Amino acid sequence: MESEARRTLGRNIVPVATGVLALASMLVVPPSAEYLDHIDVRTLCILFCLMAVVAGISSCGAFEALAHRVLEGSRGIGALCLLLVMLPSLCSMLITNDVALITFVPFAVLVLGMCGRPDLMIPVIVLQTAGANAGSMLLPFGNPQNLYISSVYGVGFSEVVVTMLPLVAVGLAAVAVLSLLPGREGVHVDFGEDAAIEDRGILAAMAVLFVLCILSVLRVVPYQAVLAITVVAMLLLRRSALLKVDYGLLLTFVFLFVFAGNIASVDSVREALEGLMSWDAVVSSAAVSQLISNVPAALTLSAFTGDWQGLLVGTNVGGFGTPIASMASVISLSIYARTEGADIRRYLLVFTGANILMLALLLPLGMLVA
């Protein structure tokens, strides 16, 4: 019973920690009707819709079929590693870095085992994580902090893309070069049976819902309408997908909205954080991300700066670094830890080296961009 409780706590450590922060802030700022003003309902609704629709697409076997089609066949081991890394890196632009890694890291474990190259599992998973964090920076809906920043600051689609494109290009180029290092030794991947897409009609409906979600991010369609349509459609077509939504992430956002709103009303704290962000928003938000992860950093620091570019760049670049700087990194580590013969110490060494390299490349560039 105790071990089960520990596992449950481990799976929900982020919402629990942010819940504690929110409760602590309530001791300083007693609950009131003003709490409702702290919560960005639009961000929560769009994030829920995106997670539900992506879960619906996944339930149709679309991502599995994509992986089979791309990976099956004969090629050099370096080219195979590049494909394994680029799948989550590119898909993360549309389905978020978390979902991309949950989907494609297990494929890397499976494929490298089939090829007899489990020695490459750690570097490939580390590069998948770095690539997914880099790719997800590009679009307003690529990761939660982008969605939040574009919503709260009213930033347009093109503004996010123009700001982040140089960082994404450099980040993905670095990851691609590192992926090719294993060389040209020939390998063959054969999954046996082809993965078929199930319920193509439902998949088409999910694609339409996904387009509606994007239109709501772009403020073309009211998010309230998209929320209503998504809920009704999911209940009718893919009710099980609603159980795949990360409600812990949504709850984390609520707690952080309360925490950030409360500490923003404390004069001494507000002045200190405003001073920190006015000194250098990129470096400050990247540094805070190393300690509390980039999504909480974005939500907390947004109350203390009007520099959306600095916050956007800083929290995205800040996703590289410590294992907790991005929840996507935690997801990859947890998946690897469950593999047979997992060497956590070696994983963390490789992870740290790759992330120091990414920070060294992207942080100076981010300061120039912002």
Side-chain angles (χ1 to χ4, degrees):
M1 182 67 70
E2 183 179 353
S3 61
E4 178 62 30
R6 287 180 179 176
R7 284 195 294 269
T8 301
L9 178 61
R11 288 193 296 267
N12 297 281
I13 188 63
V14 174
V16 169
T18 53
V20 170
L21 288 175
L23 287 173
S25 71
M26 291 178 185
L27 299 177
V28 180
V29 181
S32 68
E34 293 182 359
Y35 274 31
L36 297 176
D37 296 331
H38 300 335
I39 299 173
D40 187 341
V41 176
R42 179 178 182 274
T43 297
L44 292 174
C45 291
I46 294 176
L47 187 58
F48 166 80
C49 291
L50 282 168
M51 289 192 292
V53 171
V54 169
I57 294 173
S58 179
S59 71
C60 296
F63 300 134
E64 185 175 353
L66 172 64
H68 277 230
R69 178 162 297 187
V70 170
L71 297 173
E72 197 163 45
S74 299
R75 56 182 58 86
I77 186 64
L80 177 63
C81 291
L82 179 63
L83 288 174
L84 287 170
V85 170
M86 285 298 113
L87 268 173
S89 301
L90 299 178
C91 288
S92 67
M93 297 177 183
L94 297 176
I95 63 175
T96 76
N97 48 0
D98 294 359
V99 175
L101 292 171
I102 289 171
T103 303
F104 293 114
V105 168
F107 269 103
V109 175
L110 172 65
V111 170
L112 292 173
M114 291 170 57
C115 297
R117 295 302 305 267
D119 57 302
L120 294 175
M121 198 175 296
I122 288 177
V124 167
I125 293 176
V126 167
L127 290 175
Q128 283 184 315
T129 307
N133 281 333
S136 68
M137 297 191 296
L138 183 62
L139 302 178
F141 43 84
N143 54 50
Q145 69 266 21
N146 282 16
L147 179 60
Y148 170 72
I149 291 171
S150 64
S151 175
V152 76
Y153 289 96
V155 180
F157 180 91
S158 60
E159 293 175 290
V160 173
V161 173
V162 169
T163 300
M164 300 309 299
L165 183 58
L167 293 160
V168 174
V170 171
L172 290 184
V175 168
V177 169
L178 292 173
S179 300
L180 291 169
L181 290 180
R184 299 183 179 181
E185 176 191 344
V187 291
H188 181 74
V189 178
D190 184 2
F191 290 103
E193 295 182 2
D194 289 336
I197 295 177
E198 304 173 1
D199 303 315
R200 291 181 179 272
I202 292 179
L203 179 60
M206 294 296 134
V208 172
L209 289 175
F210 187 76
V211 171
L212 285 175
C213 290
I214 294 176
L215 291 176
S216 68
V217 173
L218 301 178
R219 301 178 187 271
V220 175
V221 179
Y223 75 87
Q224 299 93 331
V226 175
L227 175 64
I229 293 170
T230 300
V231 171
V232 172
M234 299 304 294
L235 288 174
L236 292 175
L237 301 175
R238 265 297 187 266
R239 187 173 301 180
S240 61
L242 292 174
L243 300 177
K244 303 292 186 180
V245 172
D246 189 351
Y247 294 102
L249 177 59
L250 296 174
L251 191 60
T252 296
F253 265 67
V254 173
F255 289 147
L256 286 170
F257 284 138
V258 172
F259 172 73
N262 285 344
I263 65 170
S265 64
V266 178
D267 292 339
S268 58
V269 175
R270 183 176 65 252
E271 290 172 3
L273 289 176
E274 284 177 347
L276 185 67
M277 293 300 288
S278 63
W279 167 69
D280 193 307
V282 174
V283 174
S284 298
S285 51
V288 173
S289 297
Q290 303 305 306
L291 302 175
I292 64 172
S293 188
N294 53 4
V295 175
L299 269 67
T300 302
L301 296 176
S302 64
F304 306 102
T305 182
D307 182 5
W308 67 265
Q309 284 181 311
L311 184 63
L312 179 71
V313 170
T315 52
N316 275 284
V317 173
F320 300 98
T322 65
I324 64 169
S326 168
M327 286 310 299
S329 301
V330 177
I331 288 171
S332 295
L333 176 57
S334 64
I335 294 174
Y336 171 73
R338 293 195 295 269
T339 63
E340 184 178 353
D343 186 343
I344 302 299
R345 182 176 178 274
R346 179 168 175 260
Y347 181 96
L348 291 175
L349 286 173
V350 176
F351 176 90
T352 300
N355 277 263
I356 289 175
L357 174 61
M358 295 300 285
L359 278 175
L361 288 172
L362 298 182
L363 189 57
L365 177 60
M367 294 170 69
L368 290 174
V369 168

